[in-house]
Amino acid sequence: MTHSSTHRRRIVVLISGGGSNLQSFIDACADGSLNADIVAVISNKAGVKGLERAANVGIPNIILDHNSFESRGEFDQALGDVIESFSPDLIILAGFMRILTPHFVNRFLGQLMNIHPSLLPKYPGLHTHQRAIDAGDSEAGATVHFVTPELDGGPTIVQARVPVLKDDTAEILAGRILAFEHQIYPLAAEWFCQGLLELQDGDIIFDNQLLPAEGVSLEIRDKT
Ligand code: GRF
């Protein structure tokens, strides 16, 4: 898989909330560490901060309220059509709080990435930080993965690991992890944009090699 590195990739970002991960993509595109353009931001909720972040830098931002659709399938169809109208190379789920139908996932298979705030396969679903604390885990983290029809079950591209400290609340731990999310997610997108990363029959090929289940191993430091 070789892509010309001169062609800027097109990214659509899906959000439901604050959009701090979206901001990390906006910043990475601006500073050149991500060789891509965010061509649209789509939110299933009106009035969220992420929409403001997009508007601030002139990115087309669209609200597609799932409540105005009869079924999950109809929402996903409309969402897919809007996404497709922007001809993206990559679709980034950044705090997008909707379960996607297998039909939607298969429509964009290999182009859909998500970030999840746990060391998957541990703690798919919600309340990941509290669950890690309650379990007495010594470390927690975040996982960037390709999206497959199984919820939070797609193969891992890269993980960031952080310690769980004695007095951590879910909020404190979430903040510590989020700082790392903002580093690994644009980085994973850049690998994709460089043509280094491909989903093949449920496995990831990274730089022409089969990636192990734990993803790319990376030493990262907290920038905060
Ligand atoms: C992040 O913790 C991400 O891992 C999860 O939802 C949160 C989104 O935060 N999927 P933000 O909207 O990007 O600030």
Side-chain angles (χ1 to χ4, degrees):
M1 188 180 47
T2 46
H3 285 310
S4 134
S5 57
T6 51
H7 168 66
R8 284 177 79 80
R9 304 286 145 192
R10 298 171 63 81
I11 297 180
V12 167
V13 182
L14 306 189
I15 60 166
S16 301
S20 70
N21 278 289
L22 164 64
Q23 189 65 51
S24 73
F25 274 74
I26 293 172
D27 296 345
C29 289
D31 73 19
S33 55
L34 175 52
N35 183 35
D37 293 309
I38 303 168
V39 293
V41 169
I42 305 171
S43 174
N44 66 310
K45 282 199 178 150
V48 295
K49 176 137 187 240
L51 286 165
E52 207 179 297
R53 295 179 193 270
N56 283 343
V57 290
I59 298 171
N61 53 96
I62 292 150
I63 301 158
L64 199 66
D65 184 351
H66 58 275
N67 292 311
S68 46
F69 293 85
E70 295 266 302
S71 66
R72 198 178 283 282
E74 280 175 46
F75 171 70
D76 279 11
Q77 183 63 40
L79 178 64
D81 292 346
V82 176
I83 291 171
E84 221 163 71
S85 74
F86 289 96
S87 309
D89 298 292
L90 178 62
I91 301 147
I92 290 296
L93 307 183
F96 185 65
M97 302 301 285
R98 296 287 304 165
I99 293 173
L100 295 161
T101 55
H103 182 263
F104 177 94
V105 172
N106 287 323
R107 183 171 174 183
F108 298 106
L109 198 65
Q111 290 181 280
L112 271 175
M113 269 186 206
N114 183 40
I115 192 159
H116 183 76
S118 79
L119 295 171
L120 289 171
K122 267 194 167 180
Y123 315 130
L126 298 174
H127 312 302
T128 53
H129 309 102
Q130 192 60 52
R131 285 154 76 194
I133 291 169
D134 292 347
D137 292 353
S138 59
E139 60 173 9
T143 304
V144 178
H145 64 95
F146 275 114
V147 177
T148 59
E150 189 196 339
L151 179 68
D152 299 326
T156 293
I157 299 166
V158 62
Q159 291 186 318
R161 314 181 91 87
V162 307
V164 180
L165 304 179
K166 194 167 66 62
D167 295 325
D168 272 352
T169 60
E171 204 183 357
I172 291 170
L173 180 58
R176 188 177 307 128
I177 292 172
L178 205 55
F180 285 90
E181 293 186 28
H182 298 158
Q183 293 187 54
I184 60 171
Y185 208 4
L187 182 60
E190 173 61 11
W191 293 334
F192 183 91
C193 292
Q194 286 179 10
L196 288 171
L197 206 53
E198 198 175 8
L199 180 68
Q200 239 179 52
D201 301 327
D203 290 321
I204 296 175
I205 309 297
F206 180 75
D207 203 7
N208 297 316
Q209 310 254 6
L210 183 67
L211 198 60
E214 65 276 16
V216 176
S217 86
L218 199 66
E219 275 296 320
I220 37 169
R221 284 173 205 290
D222 193 343
K223 278 203 272 194
T224 56

